[in-house]
Amino acid sequence: MVKIREYWEQIRQAKDVRQNLISIKAALQEPEGKQLLRELAGADPELLPGCLKEKDPKIRKHAALLLGSLGTEAAREDLLAAYGKEETRFVKSAYLTALKGCDLSGCLDWLEEQRRQVLAREVTPETEKHLREELEALNALIGRYGHPARHRFRGNGTADVILTTNRNYREETARQIDSGKVLLLKAGVKVLGGSPEALLSIRTFRDLFFCLDTEEVKAETAAEELAASNLLELLEAFHEGEGPFFFRVECKSSMTQEQRGAFVRKLAARLQTLTEGKLENSPSDYEAELRLIETRRGGFHPLLKLYTLPDRRFSYRKHVLASSIHPSLAALMMELAAPWLKEEGRVLDPFCGVGTMLLERNYRVHADTLYGVDRYGPAIEGARENAGAARVTAHYINRDFLDFTHQYPFDEIVTNMPVKGKNLTGHDLDFLYGKLFDRGEELLAEGGRMFLYSRDKNFVKKQLREHKSMKLLKEWLIHDREESWFFAIEYTGIRKAE
């Protein structure tokens, strides 16, 4: 702390001012650093404001950041006045960053006026970066102190949309669509003239994206092409409310993380300027996402995802684990298994996790009784809360499946099988699959079925060979790369011991 006093005294003597300001900033990380700075600034209140008038812009920048750390009313007024007079672009954003430490609750109108002025400025290659930084800082302050109007989705229109699905079973989603023209794509299903809200009755797709009227944009002119597209038209057509639309950009490409980050920041800022603030970049609090997917030609396929769209299909999912299955995948498998699911059946999931498979089974065909077993306590707690959110009666038991007993047989066993990992070896899995088939013979009624999602096809095949009472009804390859499979198996009632 003595060093802060030394740095301060040297600034008073106009000795190496820039470096001493930097040194004080670094020293603020130490305990009691800010308190000592407040004491020094209180005893000599003109020192830091005086630095804001220095010719060296970097001195002004570092002095501003130190003033902001004080958080006083006087510091706020000095920073606001200096910001208005500042002509060096890279320093202006430093004043705004410094103002984060001050109370600006009465300055919202002023902040919005500064934002309008920045948006109105001509962007040149020399000023682009600094204008972007200034705009980002202003947006952050406005977001903190303002209460921006949010838009409400209105679902009285149609649009061209893409539903992303499992690539192997796009048809399962396509056949559930009863309006619009349906086209199959590699990544899913495209619906020309689809009703977004009506499509949300389908559970087997993961995401819904709106298509823009430009199929591909070039990296160098992406902002200009997007601004000229029907992007704003779509947003306005499907929403009620005033004010800018808050958005973020998500880029899927082969660029490095650093390159991608720079590209996204530049694109978002440029798009904000080109739309005169009708789109506002807000990476952490947004209503819409622009998804750019790199094409083989080096351009990007643009899609629009709306977070205002009331998608409540999986709203029950309050708790998840790293190993949890995505509910759209669970729903797809229940769709595949539908011909063999029993209405009002008794259903058991021996490795239930947070209960997704059971709930999606019940959504597809209503069950009479749902039981979930898992030896991991937090998973069971999460499953109970998820079932409560879904308003579904389910019985969850924190126990090892091998010790589970029940007074009457089940019609179905539905489960997402555990996978090999740090706590589960291949030998452990082999044993677990064997016990599952053994217990299946004990817990299933004659004619009962098992529906297993597995990343270990060979273990399933081995048990089918060893358990003659189990008959394979059908198998589906779910994911080619990870070689995951879904199996429908029937218990015939003829045990191997018999």
Side-chain angles (χ1 to χ4, degrees):
M1 292 303 98
V2 175
K3 287 185 177 181
I4 290 184
R5 294 184 185 276
E6 292 177 358
Y7 302 144
W8 188 270
E9 183 59 32
Q10 290 188 54
I11 294 171
R12 289 187 63 214
Q13 298 175 25
K15 294 180 179 179
D16 202 6
V17 176
R18 187 203 299 180
Q19 184 55 51
N20 282 304
L21 289 169
I22 294 172
S23 298
I24 291 177
K25 275 177 57 185
L28 293 185
Q29 304 302 318
E30 301 177 23
E32 302 176 358
K34 285 188 178 181
Q35 181 57 39
L36 179 54
L37 178 62
R38 290 191 184 99
E39 293 175 5
L40 292 169
D44 191 358
E46 298 303 320
L47 183 64
L48 289 177
C51 291
L52 298 179
K53 301 174 184 177
E54 291 284 344
K55 290 183 179 180
D56 184 346
K58 292 186 178 179
I59 288 179
R60 300 197 299 272
K61 172 184 174 180
H62 295 300
L65 294 171
L66 285 177
L67 266 173
S69 70
L70 297 176
T72 62
E73 184 178 349
R76 180 193 65 197
E77 295 307 313
D78 288 329
L79 289 167
L80 290 173
Y83 172 81
K85 297 175 182 178
E86 185 60 60
E87 296 181 355
T88 305
R89 302 299 331 168
F90 80 84
V91 183
K92 289 184 80 73
S93 61
Y95 290 122
L96 297 170
T97 300
L99 283 165
K100 290 180 181 179
C102 303
D103 179 11
L104 296 179
S105 54
C107 303
L108 184 57
D109 289 343
W110 180 87
L111 288 168
E112 290 179 337
E113 176 58 29
Q114 304 312 306
R115 180 178 179 274
R116 283 191 288 271
Q117 291 183 21
V118 171
L119 285 169
R121 289 185 65 88
E122 181 181 358
V123 179
T124 67
E126 293 75 22
T127 63
E128 182 178 16
K129 176 185 176 183
H130 302 311
L131 284 172
R132 180 174 73 244
E133 292 173 347
E134 189 176 355
L135 194 55
E136 288 174 353
L138 282 166
N139 286 342
L141 289 171
I142 291 170
R144 177 181 295 183
Y145 293 100
H147 299 283
R150 295 293 174 174
H151 298 86
R152 187 169 67 87
F153 186 87
R154 58 183 178 199
N156 56 350
T158 61
D160 296 348
V161 299
I162 289 176
L163 310 179
T164 60
T165 69
N166 179 284
R167 296 192 176 199
N168 293 339
Y169 301 99
R170 297 164 295 171
E171 295 84 353
E172 296 300 321
T173 295
R175 67 178 181 77
Q176 299 176 66
I177 301 170
D178 55 14
S179 63
K181 182 178 180 180
V182 179
L183 305 173
L184 296 184
L185 307 176
K186 285 185 178 180
V189 178
K190 185 172 185 177
V191 187
L192 304 179
S195 168
E197 285 195 316
L199 291 169
L200 290 179
S201 63
I202 300 172
R203 307 184 68 83
T204 54
F205 71 88
R206 185 160 187 155
D207 289 307
L208 183 152
F209 291 100
F210 288 75
C211 302
L212 303 185
D213 59 6
T214 176
E215 285 292 322
E216 183 174 351
V217 297
K218 298 177 182 177
E220 303 80 13
T221 56
E224 286 75 11
E225 293 180 67
L226 289 168
S229 73
N230 65 334
L231 171 58
L232 270 176
E233 181 184 334
L234 270 175
L235 289 169
E236 291 168 352
F238 280 94
H239 292 93
E240 296 175 350
E242 301 297 326
F245 289 92
F246 297 89
F247 78 102
R248 72 185 290 265
V249 178
E250 176 71 16
C251 180
K252 304 291 186 182
S253 80
S254 58
M255 290 186 282
T256 65
Q257 185 175 356
E258 183 178 354
Q259 291 171 332
R260 188 163 55 247
F263 171 71
V264 164
R265 287 191 296 272
K266 182 177 179 180
L267 169 64
R270 181 66 175 148
L271 191 54
Q272 191 169 238
T273 302
L274 289 170
T275 59
E276 299 179 340
K278 293 178 182 178
L279 293 177
E280 183 170 318
N281 184 29
S282 181
S284 60
D285 185 15
Y286 44 88
E287 301 169 287
E289 176 186 288
L290 267 174
R291 181 77 59 88
L292 300 181
I293 304 170
E294 191 172 34
T295 67
R296 292 181 179 179
R297 293 180 292 274
F300 293 95
H301 181 52
L303 296 169
L304 175 66
K305 182 174 181 179
L306 296 181
Y307 288 88
T308 52
L309 182 62
D311 184 356
R312 302 185 181 91
R313 295 176 302 158
F314 311 121
S315 59
Y316 67 82
R317 205 166 181 244
K318 307 298 182 183
H319 296 274
V320 297
L321 302 173
S323 58
S324 296
I325 191 170
H326 193 277
S328 65
L329 177 57
L332 169 64
M333 289 189 285
M334 294 305 103
E335 190 68 30
L336 295 172
W340 296 283
L341 299 180
K342 183 176 180 179
E343 187 79 34
E344 301 299 328
R346 297 187 294 267
V347 186
L348 168 68
D349 186 342
F351 309 106
C352 69
V354 296
T356 306
M357 289 287 278
L358 273 181
L359 292 176
E360 291 303 323
R361 157 62 180 84
N362 190 63
Y363 276 117
R364 185 57 185 85
V365 175
H366 187 265
D368 174 67
T369 308
L370 299 173
Y371 269 81
V373 179
D374 204 294
R375 63 183 183 181
Y376 185 50
I380 289 295
E381 294 173 10
R384 288 169 181 160
E385 289 195 42
N386 288 347
R391 298 183 180 180
V392 171
T393 300
H395 309 279
Y396 291 104
I397 302 168
N398 184 197
R399 184 179 302 171
D400 192 316
F401 169 61
L402 301 183
D403 300 324
F404 172 73
T405 58
H406 203 257
Q407 61 183 4
Y408 55 76
F410 289 92
D411 299 301
E412 296 167 18
I413 290 176
V414 175
T415 198
N416 172 21
M417 290 297 292
V419 297
K420 185 166 63 175
K422 182 172 64 174
N423 300 318
L424 203 60
T425 67
H427 178 75
D428 295 331
L429 274 179
D430 190 17
F431 173 79
L432 199 61
Y433 274 82
K435 286 299 181 181
L436 172 67
F437 276 71
D438 288 346
R439 298 304 318 281
E441 292 180 330
E442 299 169 12
L443 293 169
L444 283 172
E446 184 175 341
R449 285 138 187 176
M450 291 201 298
F451 301 98
L452 310 181
Y453 178 49
S454 171
R455 269 72 82 199
D456 297 285
K457 178 182 181 180
N458 291 336
F459 289 144
V460 176
K461 293 294 187 177
K462 175 183 176 181
Q463 297 307 321
L464 285 170
R465 290 192 299 270
E466 295 184 358
H467 292 77
K468 302 302 182 184
S469 63
M470 297 294 184
K471 174 187 175 184
L472 178 65
L473 298 174
K474 194 165 183 177
E475 62 184 63
W476 299 266
L477 174 61
I478 301 299
H479 289 297
D480 303 71
R481 185 175 299 177
E482 66 181 30
E483 294 187 354
S484 58
W485 294 77
F486 183 52
F487 298 89
I489 298 166
E490 184 173 270
Y491 171 54
T492 64
I494 306 171
R495 294 181 174 85
K496 60 183 180 181
E498 299 174 343

